[in-house]
């Protein structure tokens, strides 16, 4: 299920009427905005399928591959968890976590973390042996962040908690206010140095100290606006991205913005609405918006560099920079490679017929995608 299809209710039940794009009960046979037909393109980028594997269906959740120390870790809703050799695609081991899973995978190369049903957090070693499991305060929908001796998760009640990577003891917990109505989506966490950068409902980006959970800074990416609770949803989408001193993020019905990662000082912001995260390179910030346009903005100033609107309403995944291209998956299982220079189509491949919902991972010039049906594919560019 695409991230914007479901909502989390906090005391509000009747807000869905008349809003088919956010309504889980809306008819799927006649979408209000049908996906754009794909135009024929001239393939000018050599892309090959290095390998494929299959882990199993994501169900109603979002799973993304994690790359660490030459291995790819993948998981599925039925509890499957596997380690795949990043070079060959060979399965090194495959286990069942012992319960259905709701999010994953996070890894630092030594520990592998996934979220189980009803808020269970599970940590494994790199051979698939369970190290420990602990109960979080509520359901976890985004991949655990692993690093600096801790595993950090955010549960749907908007509690952010850090657990000791060795024994699962809780180090700290930070509570944030939960808006009345939020997207049932998976705003993520990224660890960089001594800080966890946490994407939050309500359009907030929070930088927390890994030692104690104290707030280093907090900034607004999307401010709730409008007269109804649906109009006021401004949740952060995807996982914040860090490069150098920049940390950038995007919100649904909000903005895309970049901040100084240390001080939280705003570098720039621009109106945007996206259900997925952003990508960065040395020049641009790439955004796939809710209407299916892919845009490149200057990383320095936020000014527009190019915009490709030809994937309208194709339910795009988080962009990923690979080689000389920026790639996005779509709701019909295609991956599109666009030029980082001008947004022109360079190549297109079909993985399977199911949506590419999670964020891709990159190893050198190879991008790793996982579809909702469970296909895991490594696409190598020239």
């Amino acid at each position: 299920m695409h991230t914007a299809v479901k909502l989390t209710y906090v005391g509000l039940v009747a807000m869905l009427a008349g809003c088919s794009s956010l309504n889980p009960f809306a008819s799927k046979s006649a979408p209000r905005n049908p996906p754009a037909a794909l135009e024929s393109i001239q393939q000018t980028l050599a892309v090959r399928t290095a390998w494929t594997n299959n882990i199993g269906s994501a169900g109603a959740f979002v799973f993304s591959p994690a790359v660490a120390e030459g291995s790819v870790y993948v998981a599925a809703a039925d509890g499957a968890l596997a380690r795949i050799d990043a070079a060959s695609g060979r399965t090194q081991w495959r286990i069942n976590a012992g319960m259905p899973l709701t999010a994953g995978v996070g890894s630092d190369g030594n520990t592998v973390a996934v979220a189980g049903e009803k808020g269970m957090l599970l940590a494994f070693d790199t051979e698939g042996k369970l190290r420990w499991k602990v109960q979080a305060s509520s359901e976890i929908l985004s991949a655990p962040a692993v690093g600096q001796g801790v595993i950090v998760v955010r549960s749907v009640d908007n509690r952010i908690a850090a657990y000791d990577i060795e024994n699962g003891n809780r180090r700290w917990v930070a509570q944030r206010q939960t808006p009345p109505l939020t997207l049932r989506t998976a705003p993520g966490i990224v660890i960089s140095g001594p800080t966890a950068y946490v994407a939050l409902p309500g359009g907030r980006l929070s930088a927390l100290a890994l030692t104690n959970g104290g707030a280093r800074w907090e900034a607004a990416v999307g401010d709730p606006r409008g007269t109804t609770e649906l109009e006021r949803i401004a949740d952060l989408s995807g996982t914040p991205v860090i490069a150098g001193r920049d940390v950038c993020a995007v919100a649904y019905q909000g903005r895309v913005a970049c901040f100084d990662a240390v001080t939280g000082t705003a570098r720039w912001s621009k109106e945007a609405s996206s259900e997925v995260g952003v990508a960065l390179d040395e020049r641009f910030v790439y955004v796939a918006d809710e209407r299916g346009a892919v845009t490149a903005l200057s990383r320095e100033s936020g000014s527009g560099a190019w915009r490709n609107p030809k994937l309208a309403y194709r339910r795009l995944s988080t962009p990923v920079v690979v080689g000389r291209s920026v790639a996005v998956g779509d709701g019909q299982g295609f991956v599109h490679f666009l030029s980082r220079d001008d947004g022109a189509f360079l190549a297109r491949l079909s993985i399977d017929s199911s949506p590419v919902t999670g964020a891709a991972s990159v190893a050198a010039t190879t991008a790793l995608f996982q579809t909702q049906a469970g296909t895991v594919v490594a696409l190598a560019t020239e």
Side-chain angles (χ1 to χ4, degrees), residues 97-101 111-117 120-124 130 132-134 144 151:
M99 67 182 68
L101 300 179
T111 301
V112 182
V114 291
E117 63 179 350
M120 190 67 70
L121 175 63
L122 303 95
F124 298 83
L130 180 68
W132 49 261
K133 58 182 177 180
V134 297
I151 298 176

Side-chain angles (χ1 to χ4, degrees), residues 273-319:
S273 180
S274 177
E275 301 162 9
V276 295
V278 300
L280 302 184
D281 64 17
E282 64 279 2
R283 293 182 299 166
F284 300 134
V285 177
Y286 301 96
V287 184
D289 68 30
E290 62 171 330
R291 296 183 178 180
V294 182
T295 302
L297 305 172
S298 166
R299 182 169 151 185
E300 181 67 27
S301 65
S303 60
W306 53 258
R307 182 174 183 270
N308 185 326
K310 296 183 178 180
L311 299 173
Y313 301 107
R314 295 192 62 84
R315 299 163 59 199
L316 302 183
S317 67
T318 299

Side-chain angles (χ1 to χ4, degrees), residues 310-363:
K310 296 183 178 180
L311 299 173
Y313 301 107
R314 295 192 62 84
R315 299 163 59 199
L316 302 183
S317 67
T318 299
V320 61
V321 174
V322 53
R324 62 185 179 93
S325 70
V326 56
V328 291
D330 73 17
Q332 295 179 350
F334 288 93
V335 176
H336 309 269
F337 293 81
L338 284 65
S339 168
R340 290 162 60 185
D341 292 328
D342 58 13
F345 287 114
L346 301 178
R348 177 190 303 143
L349 277 85
S350 176
I351 301 177
D352 60 27
S353 59
S354 71
V356 180
T357 52
S361 295
V362 175

Side-chain angles (χ1 to χ4, degrees), residues 18 21 56 74 83 106 120 122 125 139 159 171 183 194 223 245 286 290 297 327 346 369 373-374:
S21 65
V74 290
R83 177 181 175 181
M120 190 67 70
L122 303 95
D125 66 18
E139 188 178 37
R159 284 187 172 93
R171 294 246 191 116
L183 294 176
D223 290 316
R245 282 282 294 257
Y286 301 96
E290 62 171 330
L297 305 172
L346 301 178
F369 292 87

Side-chain angles (χ1 to χ4, degrees), residues 22-379:
L22 294 172
N23 187 351
F25 308 109
S27 170
K28 294 180 175 59
S29 60
R32 185 173 63 180
N33 296 302
L38 295 179
E39 299 179 0
S40 296
I41 64 171
Q42 181 179 0
Q43 303 246 150
T44 57
L45 176 68
V47 180
R48 63 180 177 85
T49 300
W51 52 261
T52 61
N53 207 313
N54 193 285
I55 185 62
S57 173
F61 302 101
V62 176
F63 291 89
S64 298
V67 178
E69 302 296 330
S71 293
V72 181
Y73 298 95
V74 290
D78 66 358
L81 176 64
R83 177 181 175 181
I84 301 169
D85 180 75
S88 67
R90 180 179 60 86
T91 299
Q92 296 176 312
W93 52 257
R94 180 180 176 126
I95 63 169
N96 190 283
M99 67 182 68
L101 300 179
T102 60
V105 181
S107 180
D108 64 351
N110 295 304
T111 301
V112 182
V114 291
E117 63 179 350
K118 300 179 181 178
M120 190 67 70
L121 175 63
L122 303 95
F124 298 83
D125 66 18
T126 54
E127 298 305 318
K129 180 181 178 181
L130 180 68
R131 283 185 171 177
W132 49 261
K133 58 182 177 180
V134 297
Q135 180 66 56
S137 57
S138 63
E139 188 178 37
I140 300 166
L141 295 178
S142 54
V146 184
Q148 305 296 328
V150 293
I151 298 176
V152 184
V153 296
R154 186 192 72 86
S155 44
V156 295
D157 58 5
N158 232 15
R159 284 187 172 93
I160 305 104
Y163 298 88
D164 188 284
I165 205 167
E166 295 299 328
N167 53 34
N169 291 339
R170 195 175 73 184
R171 294 246 191 116
W172 51 261
V173 62
Q175 176 71 64
R176 291 295 183 270
Q177 184 178 0
T178 303
L181 192 64
T182 69
L183 294 176
R184 184 178 167 82
T185 183
I189 302 169
V190 61
I191 291 174
S192 179
T195 306
Y197 298 88
V198 186
L200 295 169
R204 312 296 292 183
L205 176 61
S206 185
L208 304 180
L210 283 178
T211 52
N212 58 14
R216 297 189 186 276
W217 54 263
E218 191 163 297
V221 179
D223 290 316
R225 295 172 292 182
T227 57
T228 70
E229 291 298 336
L230 281 175
E231 292 172 338
R232 291 176 59 79
I233 295 174
D235 297 351
L236 254 65
S237 302
T239 300
V241 179
I242 297 177
R245 282 282 294 257
D246 292 335
V247 55
C248 303
V250 67
Y252 177 75
Q253 298 186 149
R255 297 188 293 270
V256 56
C258 289
F259 304 87
D260 184 289
V262 176
T263 66
T265 302
R267 296 198 187 280
W268 56 265
S269 66
K270 190 163 185 173
E271 293 292 315
S273 180
S274 177
E275 301 162 9
V276 295
V278 300
L280 302 184
D281 64 17
E282 64 279 2
R283 293 182 299 166
F284 300 134
V285 177
Y286 301 96
V287 184
D289 68 30
E290 62 171 330
R291 296 183 178 180
V294 182
T295 302
L297 305 172
S298 166
R299 182 169 151 185
E300 181 67 27
S301 65
S303 60
W306 53 258
R307 182 174 183 270
N308 185 326
K310 296 183 178 180
L311 299 173
Y313 301 107
R314 295 192 62 84
R315 299 163 59 199
L316 302 183
S317 67
T318 299
V320 61
V321 174
V322 53
R324 62 185 179 93
S325 70
V326 56
V328 291
D330 73 17
Q332 295 179 350
F334 288 93
V335 176
H336 309 269
F337 293 81
L338 284 65
S339 168
R340 290 162 60 185
D341 292 328
D342 58 13
F345 287 114
L346 301 178
R348 177 190 303 143
L349 277 85
S350 176
I351 301 177
D352 60 27
S353 59
S354 71
V356 180
T357 52
S361 295
V362 175
T365 56
T366 299
L368 298 121
F369 292 87
Q370 182 174 345
T371 70
Q372 189 175 30
T375 300
V376 183
V377 61
L379 300 179

